[in-house]
């Protein structure tokens, strides 16, 4: 949700890192962003769960990768 919220505002996500146990926004705002970005019209709860699980896994891997660390790659992969 934190990434999607910043993406919607046009923020630079290259320098953002998820902070565990931090709470932002309301449950309604979270659900609205998930519905907007999941890519399925009228998704089931299972489809929303799969979307959030996949997104979370991809973002966790991205944060852990040295190749996605802007301090390591400098400006060679800007926006990647």
């Amino acid at each position: 949700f934190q990434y999607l919220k910043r993406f919607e505002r046009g923020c630079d996500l290259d320098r953002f890192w998820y902070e565990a146990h931090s709470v932002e926004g309301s449950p309604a705002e979270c659900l609205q962003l998930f519905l907007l970005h999941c890519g399925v019209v009228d998704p089931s709860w299972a489809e929303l769960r799969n979307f959030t699980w996949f997104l979370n896994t991809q973002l966790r891997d991205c944060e852990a990768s040295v190749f996605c660390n802007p301090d390591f790659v400098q400006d060679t992969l800007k926006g990647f």
Side-chain angles (χ1 to χ4, degrees), residues 60-73:
R60 188 181 314 126
D61 289 349
C62 180
E63 285 185 351
S65 172
V66 68
F67 298 106
C68 295
N69 183 332
D71 295 327
F72 177 74
V73 296

Side-chain angles (χ1 to χ4, degrees), residues 1 6-7 13 16 18 21 25-26 38 45 48 52-53 55 58 60 65-66 78:
F1 170 72
R6 283 163 178 76
F7 175 76
L13 298 176
F16 174 71
Y18 168 73
H21 308 294
S26 68
C38 84
W45 286 111
L48 281 175
T52 58
W53 174 82
L55 183 62
Q58 295 300 305
R60 188 181 314 126
S65 172
V66 68
K78 181 95 175 117

Side-chain angles (χ1 to χ4, degrees), residues 2 6 11-12 14 17 19-21 24 28 31-32 36 39 48 53 56 61 63-64 69-71 74-75 77-78:
Q2 293 177 11
R6 283 163 178 76
C11 296
D12 179 14
D14 290 343
W17 298 98
E19 295 180 34
H21 308 294
E24 293 183 14
L31 181 58
Q32 184 179 28
L36 181 65
L48 281 175
W53 174 82
N56 188 51
D61 289 349
E63 285 185 351
N69 183 332
D71 295 327
Q74 307 285 316
D75 64 352
L77 297 174
K78 181 95 175 117

